[in-house]
């Protein structure tokens, strides 16, 4: 990326990655595929999930209280721990996750189905398939984010819910090394 393009992205006029070529998107995916898994491994302990309060406060509490969700999709949900507060209300859970290591066989009795993301961002499910979609702290790992959000809209049923949360603090300038964070 050239300096002028960096300035356009930093100004908020353009999202980085939205106009990437297929090769640039493939490179981004390779950089990110196991990078979060590497951070979890470096921690040297079982992965803790600290965001339940945020997810409940700003997301789950706004869902209909007694509703069961037939089909739910999570973008980059890794172990699926984010679904703990509503696991008993989900019939089928699909997690789109690039990592080969960040998976759970069981989330409070719920058996998730894992699917690898497609490089181009297409979600391999039919229109209107899911009742609920979540993306908790994932979109900043995706290069063609505008397209992916459009795909979430496409696979959600009319009247479906999309819960989205991104980091609420700066992750620093991506042009410089950022210890403890993934490359992208």
């Amino acid at each position: 990326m050239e300096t002028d393009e960096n300035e356009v992205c930093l100004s908020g006029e353009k999202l980085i990655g939205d106009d990437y070529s297929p090769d640039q998107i493939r490179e981004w995916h390779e950089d990110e595929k196991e990078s979060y898994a590497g951070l979890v491994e470096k921690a040297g302990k079982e992965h803790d999930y600290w965001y339940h309060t945020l997810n409940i406060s700003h997301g789950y509490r706004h869902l209909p209280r007694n509703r069961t969700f037939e089909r739910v999709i999570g973008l980059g949900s890794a172990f699926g721990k984010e679904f703990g507060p509503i696991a008993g209300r989900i019939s089928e859970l699909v997690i789109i996750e690039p990592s080969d290591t960040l998976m759970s066989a069981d989330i409070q009795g719920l058996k998730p189905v894992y699917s690898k993301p497609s490089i181009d961002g297409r979600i391999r499910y039919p229109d209107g398939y899911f009742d609920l979609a979540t993306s908790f702290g994932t979109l900043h790992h995706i290069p063609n984010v505008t397209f992916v959000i459009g795909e979430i809209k496409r696979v959600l049923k009319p009247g479906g819910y999309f819960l989205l949360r991104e980091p609420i603090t700066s992750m620093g300038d991506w042009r410089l090394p950022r210890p403890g964070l993934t490359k992208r």
Side-chain angles (χ1 to χ4, degrees), residues 89-160:
R89 297 169 55 193
I90 299 172
S91 299
E92 177 187 334
L93 174 62
V94 172
I95 295 177
I96 297 182
E97 174 59 49
S99 175
D100 292 324
T101 60
L102 300 178
M103 296 189 274
S104 296
D106 183 276
I107 303 161
Q108 297 182 13
L110 181 62
K111 310 281 186 224
V113 173
Y114 282 88
S115 177
K116 296 292 182 197
S118 63
I119 298 299
D120 64 5
R122 293 191 196 288
I123 297 175
R124 297 178 195 112
Y125 285 87
D127 295 0
Y129 189 78
F130 295 100
D131 314 89
L132 171 65
T134 66
S135 177
F136 292 144
T138 301
L139 290 182
H140 63 277
H141 294 282
I142 297 172
N144 48 346
V145 69
T146 299
F147 181 81
V148 171
I149 289 174
E151 280 292 278
I152 289 292
K153 179 182 177 196
R154 181 185 65 75
V155 300
L156 272 176
K157 290 179 179 177

Side-chain angles (χ1 to χ4, degrees), residues 54-64 69 72-75 77 82-83 86 89 131-139 152 156 160-166:
L54 276 174
N55 296 346
I56 291 167
S57 218
H58 300 291
Y60 292 139
R61 77 180 183 94
H62 297 285
L63 297 174
F69 295 94
V72 175
I73 186 170
L75 251 53
S77 300
E82 67 194 51
F83 296 104
I86 64 165
R89 297 169 55 193
D131 314 89
L132 171 65
T134 66
S135 177
F136 292 144
T138 301
L139 290 182
I152 289 292
L156 272 176
Y161 297 87
F162 181 26
L163 302 181
L164 168 65
R165 179 184 50 75
E166 280 295 303

